[in-house]
Structure formats: C-alpha cells, structure tokens
Amino acid sequence: MYKWIEPKICWEDLTDAIRLPPSGEKKDCPPCNPGFYNNGSSSCHPCPPGTFSDGTKECRPCPAGTEPALGFEYKWWNVLPGNMKTSCFNVGNSKCDGMNGWEVAGDHIQSGAGGSDNDYLILNLHIPGFKPPTSMTGAMGSELGRITFVFETLCSADCILYFMMDINRKSTNVVESWGGTKEKQAYTHIIFKNATFTFTWAFQRTNEGQDNRRFINDMVKIYSITATNAVDGVASSCRACALGSEQLGSSCVPCPPGHYIEKETNQCKECPPDTYLSIHQVYGKEACIPCGPGSRSTQDHSACYSDCFFYHEKENQTLHYDFSNLSSVGSLMNGPSFTSKGTKYFHFFNISLCGHEGKKMALCTNNITDFTVKEMVAGSDDYTNLVGAFVCQSTIIPSESKGFRAALSSQSIILADTFLGVTVETTLQNINIKEDMFPVPPSQIPDVHFFYKSSTTTTSCVNGRSTAVKMRCNPTKLGAGMISVPSKCPAGTCDGCTFYFLWESSEACPLCTEHDFHEIEGACKRGFQETLYVWNEPKWCIKGISLPEKKLSTCETVDFWLKVGAGVGAFTAVLLVALTCYFWKKNQKLEYKYSKLVMTTNSKECELPAADSCAIMEGEDNEEEVVYSNKQSLLGKLKSLATKEKEDHFESVQLKSSRSPNI
C-alpha cells in the first residue's frame, strides 16, 4: 500500500507529476529485526523468553550452558517499533501538531517534512530499565548497559540534532548534540543506573522562523539503534553462562563478583590477583585483564586502583614513594575566564589521586551554594546531580557575576573514572606528557605520573577523555602542596580531551634511605671520638628511616702517635750513627793492615809474617795490584773482618810489581 507523506506538499494532478502506485501488490516480507520473528503474517513478533532469533529464522531455545543476551537492535525500519513513537513540535505555531516527525524508510529512519523549517522533529525510545545478564552480574561494575546509534545529517543550513535522556520521567537533559552536516558515524552512551529511561532524538532544520520552506531537503538519517541489557528486551543470540554443580544441563547461576566462567567446566572461577574482570564478556580466563603498572585490583576484581605506594629502581637504588597523605581530594580553581558578554567564571577541578580501595572520591555537583569538598561530603543530600570520579570538573560562576546570593556550579563533567596505572615514564596507553609541558624539575628525583581515562565518549573525543597527573617532589611545598596546569594550556587541556596537572608537594618526595645522609667524625678528645649523622643538603626525601643516633667510639690521640713516631725516629738515628762509627773504625784498621803489607813487600828481605804468604809475579804493568783470594759476599766479608780481628790473622794477597825481583 502506498500513501503520500504527511503533510502533503506536492501537486499530483500537474503535468509530469508522479501518481501513487496501485496498492495490493504482493511482495516478500522484509526481514524482522534481531530478536523478532515472522509467524507467517505481515508483522514481526518478539521471541518468547529463553529463545533467540536473528530476524530471518524462527525463534530457537538457547543451548544448555547459555542464556539469551537481551536487548534491542533496530536496523530494519519497515514499521516503527512498538516502544518508539514520533511527534512534531513548534514553540511558535501549531502547524505540525499531529504530524509524524520521523518516517521509516526501509534500511533507515529519517526526519519528516514537518510544518515549517524551525519545527522540532521528535523520536522517542522508551526502555523500562537495564539489567545485566546472569553471567555478567559480577563483572559489570557500575555499567549496566549501553545505547548505540548510527546516524548522519545532510544539511545546507544551521541544522542541529539533539540526543536527550529522561530518567524516571523527571526532566529531559541534553546528552550530546551535532550541528551541520555530519558523515555517517556511531555514538555510544553508557548506562550506570537501573531506572526507567526515555531516549529522545530531536532534529531542527533551522532556529529561525520563516514562512517559506527553504530547507525542506535537510534531514537526518538513523540507520540503527542498539540497546543492551534492556529489561524487556529480546535476544538475537545467546551467551555462555555458569552452570550449577549438579549437572551440565542445569540452569544458569550468577557468578560471584570477580569470577569468570571456565571454558572446560562452565564453572565460576575467581580472577588471579591484580586483574579485573572485563565488562563485555566473562567467558574464559582471558576475561581477566591485568591491571596497569603500579596498580592493584579491588577485592571484587571490578576495577584497578593505586594503594598510594610506588617503587622505582634507579641506579641500583630503590626509591619508595608514599602518597597516602595526598589521598584526600586535591582541588584547583583555574581562571578566571570570561564569556563573550563579560560574565566571569572559573574552572574547578577535583582530583582523587589514590587509595580508598578504588572508591572515586572526587565530587562535582551542579547548582550548589558552596563547592568546597568538605561541604559536599557533609551535605551531599542537599545538592543535585552529584558526580563521583577520580577527576572531575565544574564551572563556577561567582555570586557577584550575576547578582546571585551565592556562587553557582554547573556543567559538571567526569574527566576520569578509570585508573590506568602509575609510572615514572611519560607515556601510557597513548597518553603522552610532553617534556616542554611543565618546567624542568630542579632535582634528579624522577616525577611520578598517574594516568586515568573516562569511558564516556563525545563528538570531539571519540575515545573518551583522559587525564595525567604529574607528581613532583618539592620540599618547599608542605602538606597538600600546590596543583597547577600547563602554561600553554591554561584550561588544563589543549584539545579538550586530554587534561594535564602538575602536583608539587613534599609528600611527593621518596622515603628517606641510608643514601640520603652522611656521617661527620669529630676530633679525638681524651681517647674518645664522636660521630654525627646529618641529612644531605638539599634534602629530597621525607619520612622513611630516621637519622642514626650519634656514636661515641674510642680512639688514639694525635699526640700519642707523634710521641711514638719521634721515639722510633730517634732510635733509628742513633742506630745509624752507631753503625756508621763501627764500620768507619773497621775500615781504618783495614787500611792500616794494607799499608803495612805493602811496605813489607817492598823490602829486600821480603820479610813477611809467618802466617802470611806472598808472591811477586812478573807482569807488564808498572803498578802494583792487590788481589784477594777470598771471594765472599759483602756480609761474609764483614763477618770475616770481625773474626780475624779477634784472631789477629791477615788475609793473603798476591802482589804484582813492575820491578824485577831479586829473590
């Protein structure tokens, strides 16, 4: 059957006008959406509980050991689904009241014509709640479900598409918006609360009211809408689940938090230490993902966090850091900045660095009268839209800017809800801290970097936001220290997606070790010496070990060693003098004996002592030579001299003369 699109804005009775085709022609039924089936009629029906279908086949029960994965997946738009409705709204007129704001078009649903170009074309999807499947109960953490849609906009003017959300039918808030022509893309919003949701898509061609239709061809197309873990959803597939211990065919049982399903037995098994359970699947040990560097897992393996202690090896020395005193929320008021109309505002950041068993302690609120952390914790029931995260941001409007009685806080956003790791490296999971982003540290103590990310994506940040906190040792910044942002990026970010902070504090210094002090030895007084221990200056450590007590030890004074040295020197001098005199005297006696022997040899009678013998050998030389027949070492000769002196003996020598003997 063919019908004109309402409102009808064309003439069919003019020349060359298209006429409506005749109705009643039989065609093959188009496929149903996943989770629905065609029972032979012209409409699709949801599969009964416990069964699944891909939309082209009949519903079948899930095999043993599996359970249906409930949700909605709309990708065929032949009729509008039962939990969706469309409408048209205009503030200034009622031309489009009762019109369909959107029209189904086979493989997509698109915005309708409306009554004027500034109409709001509305599409609603109602879901009564979100609940994870039995097998995922212990793995979802704070995430309960997701809604994802694929769309594109074709505009020649300033068209805009709003994606809005209403919780428990209280108020509708804009989640994201897109202006102008946008290529085909997907957007995902994560659900953290089990409540009744109404999701709304609103399209406006232009915000200027006009009598004539100039932008009738501007439109938005949505190709698919997928909602996971919907309470009243249907199943397009089945997923493995944990079985009871009685028999393989028993019904699915929920695994305790932090447990995965073992493939061999389909039984629940706890994840290893320092791993967290994936929120997307729990089948097999690979569902347990290791935590990042310097982090540990919570007791239920739902997330990773830092326990405020960090260790780093540097030049054969282990640096120990303790950030426990910085575990309370740190705050930074950045600005001021001004709007185009001159209104002053500030960016207010809260940072929950570590500890608290992974609990996100940073709180940012909207519409508050006092934005101090202490007041938030004490009276959070009085505030609205409370946001908890590792890092969050609020926009603060001072009371004097608009004449308010108190400051206002709005636009609270989560900058980090997942902890990635802590390391001295400047890069982790595609988050990089450039060297010129912050001033060079004054010491050789390495900075410690905490890395976080947010699971919420935006149009500009398709991978979500991320945050890096640089912890720097600064002994002059006592207590909580000071938090600052890069000078090049005064808003804390240069691209709107990655935020950087420098946190300087004495609490960011490593714990003191024996390498951080040295000893000073005092003078030896009265046989005792005092040793003192003092810190190295400048001191780049805190807490840790204490300085050793001063040490008192026995010692020998300098006067004593001077006396000993003088005595040894005097004794040595006397000994040398005595030896010199002794050998001099021995030499005199030897000269005397030698002279006497020469004189005796020259006499004609050649009278020699009876105990000696001599011989005069002829030779060619004119001078006499004395040749000793006893060839001894120097020590032996000295001994011989001493012995012969006592015995009054002489050494025998050979004399050689140039004169002819007359013997």
Side-chain angles (χ1 to χ4, degrees):
M1 182 176 64
Y2 296 89
K3 295 171 59 178
W4 292 112
I5 296 176
E6 296 293 339
K8 184 181 178 184
I9 55 174
C10 61
W11 294 96
E12 61 176 309
D13 53 353
L14 298 179
T15 305
D16 298 329
I18 299 297
R19 303 298 194 275
L20 275 179
S23 300
E25 181 182 358
K26 297 291 185 180
K27 290 185 178 180
D28 292 336
C29 291
C32 295
N33 283 309
F36 293 82
Y37 73 100
N38 190 326
N39 59 357
S41 64
S42 60
S43 60
C44 296
H45 301 274
C47 288
T51 62
F52 72 100
S53 172
D54 61 356
T56 61
K57 301 177 182 178
E58 294 184 355
C59 300
R60 294 172 294 169
C62 288
T66 63
E67 63 178 338
L70 299 180
F72 292 106
E73 183 181 358
Y74 297 136
K75 62 181 181 179
W76 298 110
W77 302 94
N78 303 301
V79 294
L80 195 66
N83 58 350
M84 298 186 71
K85 65 179 182 178
T86 178
S87 60
C88 181
F89 169 75
N90 192 303
V91 178
N93 59 68
S94 58
K95 292 181 180 179
C96 71
D97 292 353
M99 294 183 180
N100 289 332
W102 294 64
E103 301 285 349
V104 294
D107 63 344
H108 66 274
I109 184 171
Q110 66 185 31
S111 54
S116 57
D117 287 345
N118 63 341
D119 290 343
Y120 285 98
L121 308 176
I122 309 298
L123 179 67
N124 301 112
L125 170 64
H126 179 76
I127 296 179
F130 289 87
K131 180 182 178 181
T134 303
S135 59
M136 301 287 289
T137 303
M140 296 302 291
S142 57
E143 179 179 332
L144 295 181
R146 296 188 174 200
I147 181 167
T148 303
F149 58 94
V150 179
F151 72 99
E152 70 172 337
T153 56
L154 305 172
C155 300
S156 59
D158 55 343
C159 71
I160 187 168
L161 172 66
Y162 296 96
F163 174 61
M164 299 178 288
M165 180 175 64
D166 172 63
I167 301 177
N168 293 330
R169 299 179 179 179
K170 291 184 177 180
S171 62
T172 301
N173 298 314
V174 176
V175 178
E176 191 60 82
S177 62
W178 299 266
T181 299
K182 297 295 180 182
E183 296 181 353
K184 190 175 181 179
Q185 58 185 278
Y187 176 80
T188 299
H189 180 73
I190 300 176
I191 308 300
F192 298 99
K193 183 179 181 180
N194 184 17
T196 299
F197 285 84
T198 298
F199 301 100
T200 301
W201 292 264
F203 179 71
Q204 186 183 38
R205 292 183 171 90
T206 181
N207 59 1
E208 298 179 1
Q210 298 175 352
D211 294 334
N212 56 341
R213 303 297 302 272
R214 298 174 54 192
F215 309 113
I216 187 66
N217 293 324
D218 292 0
M219 67 175 64
V220 56
K221 296 180 179 181
I222 295 180
Y223 293 91
S224 65
I225 299 177
T226 303
T228 63
N229 302 331
V231 170
D232 61 342
V234 293
S236 60
S237 61
C238 300
R239 72 174 83 216
C241 67
L243 300 176
S245 58
E246 292 81 6
Q247 57 182 356
L248 185 63
S250 62
S251 60
C252 294
V253 296
C255 284
H259 287 63
Y260 68 95
I261 302 174
E262 196 173 38
K263 291 182 178 180
E264 291 77 11
T265 62
N266 271 38
Q267 301 295 315
C268 299
K269 190 172 182 179
E270 186 177 5
C271 281
D274 296 333
T275 62
Y276 67 97
L277 195 59
S278 170
I279 61 175
H280 301 295
Q281 65 96 13
V282 295
Y283 193 62
K285 192 174 182 179
E286 57 271 17
C288 301
I289 304 173
C291 292
S295 59
R296 57 188 304 176
S297 62
T298 56
Q299 187 174 0
D300 59 357
H301 297 276
S302 61
C304 298
Y305 72 101
S306 169
D307 60 0
C308 296
F309 294 94
F310 178 70
Y311 306 93
H312 172 62
E313 293 287 341
K314 178 188 177 185
E315 299 176 355
N316 298 326
Q317 178 184 354
T318 302
L319 298 179
H320 298 249
Y321 294 84
D322 182 4
F323 300 101
S324 300
N325 290 341
L326 300 178
S327 61
S328 58
V329 177
S331 301
L332 168 65
M333 180 76 79
N334 190 25
S337 300
F338 298 89
T339 65
S340 59
K341 296 183 179 181
T343 302
K344 182 168 65 175
Y345 66 93
F346 297 86
H347 289 304
F348 183 68
F349 299 93
N350 277 331
I351 301 175
S352 176
L353 187 69
C354 59
H356 306 286
E357 294 293 327
K359 186 178 180 181
K360 305 165 188 176
M361 302 299 294
L363 304 176
C364 293
T365 64
N366 293 334
N367 299 328
I368 64 174
T369 58
D370 190 355
F371 42 82
T372 60
V373 176
K374 181 178 179 180
E375 298 251 349
M376 286 183 184
V377 176
S380 58
D381 292 338
D382 298 332
Y383 304 125
T384 61
N385 298 330
L386 191 65
V387 179
F390 287 114
V391 185
C392 63
Q393 172 191 335
S394 297
T395 300
I396 305 298
I397 303 175
S399 57
E400 66 271 14
S401 294
K402 287 291 185 180
F404 303 129
R405 289 190 295 178
L408 295 182
S409 174
S410 63
Q411 300 178 4
S412 297
I413 57 175
I414 295 176
L415 301 183
D417 57 12
T418 303
F419 179 72
L420 299 180
V422 53
T423 175
V424 296
E425 303 297 330
T426 57
T427 302
L428 183 65
Q429 293 191 20
N430 298 324
I431 305 174
N432 180 38
I433 304 176
K434 298 180 180 179
E435 295 182 358
D436 59 348
M437 188 164 290
F438 294 104
V440 178
S443 72
Q444 298 298 321
I445 300 299
D447 295 334
V448 180
H449 307 107
F450 285 74
F451 293 92
Y452 309 85
K453 73 172 183 179
S454 172
S455 55
T456 303
T457 60
T458 64
T459 305
S460 302
C461 309
V462 293
N463 296 321
R465 297 183 178 95
S466 56
T467 302
V469 182
K470 178 186 283 285
M471 306 300 298
R472 175 167 294 176
C473 172
N474 191 335
T476 63
K477 307 290 185 182
L478 302 179
M482 182 182 71
I483 303 176
S484 60
V485 295
S487 58
K488 296 182 178 180
C489 311
T493 178
C494 297
D495 58 3
C497 298
T498 305
F499 291 77
Y500 303 94
F501 300 94
L502 174 63
W503 195 336
E504 297 179 276
S505 171
S506 59
E507 297 294 335
C509 297
L511 302 182
C512 294
T513 65
E514 62 274 6
H515 299 283
D516 296 306
F517 64 83
H518 62 278
E519 62 179 28
I520 299 178
E521 294 182 348
C524 186
K525 297 179 179 180
R526 299 179 181 179
F528 293 96
Q529 186 180 36
E530 190 177 64
T531 303
L532 299 177
Y533 297 90
V534 296
W535 296 111
N536 299 332
E537 292 294 339
K539 183 183 177 185
W540 295 101
C541 66
I542 60 168
K543 297 181 287 189
I545 66 172
S546 303
L547 282 177
E549 298 291 337
K550 63 181 180 180
K551 183 174 61 176
L552 196 64
S553 58
T554 59
C555 64
E556 300 292 344
T557 62
V558 177
D559 294 342
F560 172 79
W561 290 110
L562 286 176
K563 292 177 181 179
V564 172
V568 172
F571 174 78
T572 304
V574 171
L575 180 61
L576 290 175
V577 171
L579 290 174
T580 301
C581 294
Y582 174 78
F583 286 112
W584 178 81
K585 185 177 180 181
K586 290 295 182 183
N587 186 52
Q588 290 295 104
K589 291 183 178 181
L590 182 59
E591 287 184 6
Y592 170 75
K593 292 181 180 181
Y594 177 73
S595 300
K596 185 177 180 180
L597 180 60
V598 171
M599 292 174 62
T600 305
T601 304
N602 292 336
S603 66
K604 295 180 180 181
E605 293 80 11
C606 192
E607 295 179 359
L608 296 174
D612 296 331
S613 62
C614 63
I616 298 176
M617 304 296 294
E618 293 184 356
E620 299 177 356
D621 297 330
N622 295 327
E623 298 179 356
E624 292 86 4
E625 293 181 356
V626 180
V627 180
Y628 292 89
S629 61
N630 186 16
K631 297 181 179 179
Q632 296 179 332
S633 64
L634 177 60
L635 182 60
K637 290 179 180 180
L638 294 175
K639 290 182 180 180
S640 299
L641 288 174
T643 305
K644 288 182 179 181
E645 181 183 4
K646 294 179 181 179
E647 296 178 357
D648 197 21
H649 288 167
F650 297 93
E651 291 182 355
S652 60
V653 298
Q654 294 180 358
L655 299 179
K656 187 175 182 181
S657 177
S658 61
R659 294 174 294 182
S660 298
N662 295 324
I663 303 176

